[in-house]
Amino acid sequence: METSRRALALFLTMSLACLVLSIDPHLHGKNTFPIETRFLEQNYLDQMRQMQGFKASFLQRDSLISSPSPAPAPAPYISAPAPLVTPRPNVYNVTSYGADPTGKTDSTDAILRAISDALQGPSNGFLITGIVNLGGAQISLEGGNYLISRPLQLLAGRGNLVIHGGTLKASDTFPGDRYLIELSATNKNGAFNHEFVTLRDLLLDSSFRGGGIQVVNSLRTSIDNCYITHFTTYGILVQDGHETYIRNCYLGQRITAGGDPKERDFSGTGIALMGNDNAVTDVVIFSAATGIMISGQANTISGVHCYNKATGFGGTGIYLKLPGLTQIRIVHSYFDFTGIVAEDPVQLDVVNCFFLGDAFVLLKSINGLVKGVNIVDNMFAGSGKGIDIVQLDQKNGPFKQIHHVVVDRNNVEGMNLKATVARRAVQGSGTSWTVDFNPILLFPDFVNYVQYTLSTSGSSFPNHALRNVSKNNVLIESDVPVQATVFVLVDQGQTHTS
């Protein structure tokens, strides 16, 4: 249809052009037209009127054919919706509060303001009863170095919070009995103080004034990828609560890799676990008088490397100070010139560990009880000075209650093997054979179980019997002289069975 309209318009235009050209071009003046000319002009005007009427009728008819259906009535006006507002993530950058990331000026107040805003920020219900869920709010140190003169203490009753990404250093006026970060405020509801608080990617320098991190009566706390140094009390103190996990951390009073001229002056404790159900995993303690002090139940130590102040200088790798109720598992760890001390251990595992530099395990008698202890499948490497791999401290009295203790299957080089299970064989001719187990057995004058075999190549079958067990010596006698080999197995830890 569009093509037809264009063709008609072209036809009319050409027709008009032809009519114009038919007028005599030699006429002059305005009113001097001859009769023929006036006639032609009148004829031209008549033709023009006819063509205009034809065109009008054609266009009207064309519009009736091609016009689309009437447009619908316009919809009523609806105002545009308000633009969506994207909620701001709960990330609190401490420099936005005025903290100095160069460490030249005190940033305590600024960081505390950031912490306060985070703890009072948007929440999403509760975690355990009495703990507000902050939804994963983050307090970011933005990779800066910050000088602080007071502890950064978190308000109790908050959880699901992260502090991460920078360095905190104690100033010269920092109180010597406090910690750089404290999760210690008391929950007024009487419940746990905090839950699911994460401290990660931090370097904490206590400047020889107090400790690094204090966690009191909190639940499910994570301390991850932290470097804590120059403490005088505790690098990390965990008191009461449950399930604080310390992972991938480095702790040392002095920054050294060994051979420090002030090594004999080391003090303090790398980690103190004074609560239950905690775990220390893949942690290095390179400088402290005591690497880990444990006085809570059911804690797990795994993948720990202790080379803090050497045993020869009075240091200890791990000290278990919970006599009669230990329940500690120490596995896959490395004791480098430092050992383990356990007071009256009950349910203690020391398995698949490596002891270097004459490091050993010491069982210390408090009330004379040792029960359910497994020291098995470890490696000990020493200097050939005659150091026993497992030793007893009975200054407070001998161990009198010894039940289910297994010290066995340990690989020893350059140290004295000690065990609760021993096997020996003696040969001789006569009527008696004595087997001395004192060089091997851990406990003096104590054998719970004996099994022996007498083998002779002669034709006679002598009567023989176990005649005596005392001072870790086993006596076997026969009724007639005979050439024989006697094989004896003894066990100090196995309880008698009927």
Side-chain angles (χ1 to χ4, degrees):
M1 187 62 68
E2 182 65 24
T3 303
S4 300
R5 289 198 299 269
R6 290 180 179 178
L8 177 60
L10 179 62
F11 169 76
L12 293 174
T13 302
M14 293 180 67
S15 299
L16 290 172
C18 292
L19 288 172
V20 172
L21 291 174
S22 67
I23 300 174
D24 188 353
H26 301 289
L27 295 178
H28 301 280
K30 295 182 180 179
N31 299 312
T32 58
F33 296 109
I35 296 174
E36 294 84 3
T37 301
R38 290 195 298 272
F39 174 80
L40 289 173
E41 182 179 4
Q42 182 64 39
N43 190 33
Y44 164 74
L45 294 174
D46 292 338
Q47 289 180 357
M48 286 294 295
R49 283 192 292 269
Q50 292 176 1
M51 284 190 292
Q52 289 174 352
F54 174 75
K55 178 180 178 182
S57 64
F58 178 82
L59 293 175
Q60 182 179 7
R61 183 171 60 253
D62 183 68
S63 66
L64 291 173
I65 296 172
S66 61
S67 295
S69 59
Y77 175 76
I78 301 175
S79 60
L84 295 176
V85 178
T86 302
R88 182 176 63 85
N90 297 331
V91 178
Y92 301 83
N93 297 315
V94 296
T95 58
S96 300
Y97 292 80
D100 175 12
T102 69
K104 295 179 181 179
T105 60
D106 193 324
S107 295
T108 309
D109 290 336
I111 298 176
L112 285 174
R113 285 195 296 270
I115 292 174
S116 178
D117 279 1
L119 297 178
Q120 301 296 336
S123 61
N124 184 17
F126 290 84
L127 298 173
I128 198 169
T129 302
I131 304 293
V132 175
N133 179 6
L134 296 175
Q138 298 182 29
I139 300 166
S140 175
L141 301 184
E142 306 172 77
N145 293 274
Y146 303 95
L147 188 69
I148 62 174
S149 56
R150 303 191 309 281
L152 304 180
Q153 188 176 63
L154 272 64
L155 178 69
R158 300 295 187 272
N160 198 0
L161 170 74
V162 181
I163 301 177
H164 67 95
T167 296
L168 299 173
K169 183 176 181 179
S171 71
D172 293 339
T173 60
F174 193 93
D177 59 347
R178 301 293 295 275
Y179 297 80
L180 295 178
I181 299 177
E182 296 182 348
L183 278 67
S184 57
T186 302
N187 194 333
K188 296 179 181 179
N189 296 326
F192 291 102
N193 295 336
H194 303 91
E195 182 183 4
F196 193 36
V197 174
T198 299
L199 308 174
R200 61 174 170 83
D201 305 332
L202 300 171
L203 190 153
L204 304 181
D205 185 346
S206 299
S207 302
F208 297 104
R209 300 191 62 82
I213 298 172
Q214 183 187 48
V215 180
V216 178
N217 193 32
S218 295
L219 181 63
R220 292 182 270 273
T221 303
S222 293
I223 301 173
D224 196 358
N225 193 36
C226 291
Y227 188 116
I228 304 173
T229 187
H230 297 152
F231 50 86
T232 54
T233 53
Y234 301 99
I236 299 174
L237 170 62
V238 179
Q239 186 174 351
D240 300 323
H242 289 275
E243 298 159 352
T244 292
Y245 272 48
I246 303 169
R247 299 178 293 242
N248 307 313
C249 292
Y250 303 87
L251 297 100
Q253 186 184 51
R254 298 182 184 275
I255 299 177
T256 175
D260 192 300
K262 295 184 179 180
E263 186 172 7
R264 295 176 184 270
D265 298 330
F266 290 171
S267 61
T269 299
I271 298 173
L273 301 179
M274 301 180 183
N276 302 342
D277 308 327
N278 306 297
V280 179
T281 305
D282 298 329
V283 166
V284 174
I285 302 174
F286 55 87
S287 169
T290 302
I292 302 176
M293 175 75 75
I294 303 178
S295 56
Q297 302 168 234
N299 293 289
T300 300
I301 310 298
S302 174
V304 170
H305 181 189
C306 289
Y307 64 96
N308 53 292
K309 186 178 179 182
T311 299
F313 298 151
T316 303
I318 296 180
Y319 197 109
L320 308 178
K321 194 175 182 61
L322 189 66
L325 198 59
T326 310
Q327 298 176 334
I328 302 298
R329 292 144 290 165
I330 302 173
V331 298
H332 305 295
S333 295
Y334 176 16
F335 296 89
D336 192 346
F337 285 80
T338 60
I340 298 173
V341 177
E343 296 183 351
D344 276 4
V346 173
Q347 293 187 312
L348 166 65
D349 267 351
V350 180
V351 181
N352 287 325
C353 294
F354 178 45
F355 295 80
L356 179 67
D358 292 324
F360 57 87
V361 179
L362 178 68
L363 307 181
K364 185 173 182 178
S365 173
I366 302 298
N367 299 305
L369 172 65
V370 55
K371 180 179 180 181
V373 174
N374 300 312
I375 304 174
V376 297
D377 299 324
N378 302 288
M379 291 191 297
F380 293 82
S383 58
K385 297 179 180 178
I387 305 297
D388 295 340
I389 64 169
V390 182
Q391 301 178 20
L392 304 178
D393 180 347
Q394 301 186 90
K395 297 184 181 67
N396 296 320
F399 284 103
K400 299 177 181 179
Q401 303 178 64
I402 304 169
H403 307 286
H404 300 290
V405 178
V406 180
V407 181
D408 195 18
R409 303 194 310 270
N410 294 298
N411 187 307
V412 180
E413 182 70 30
M415 299 179 71
N416 289 343
L417 175 66
K418 285 291 182 179
T420 58
V421 179
R423 303 162 183 82
R424 300 196 72 178
V426 294
Q427 292 180 325
S429 178
T431 59
S432 67
W433 296 262
T434 299
V435 184
D436 184 3
F437 286 96
N438 279 296
I440 300 175
L441 290 180
L442 175 62
F443 298 100
D445 195 15
F446 180 79
V447 173
N448 250 347
Y449 177 85
V450 177
Q451 178 179 327
Y452 82 93
T453 300
L454 187 147
S455 173
T456 178
S457 59
S459 58
S460 62
F461 292 90
N463 295 318
H464 51 85
L466 172 63
R467 300 291 290 172
N468 187 44
V469 178
S470 62
K471 297 182 179 179
N472 289 343
N473 282 269
V474 176
L475 174 63
I476 308 296
E477 291 186 344
S478 65
D479 61 343
V480 296
V482 64
Q483 179 70 34
T485 301
V486 176
F487 301 90
V488 182
L489 180 149
V490 294
D491 193 330
Q492 294 186 313
Q494 181 171 330
T495 302
H496 291 292
T497 59
S498 56

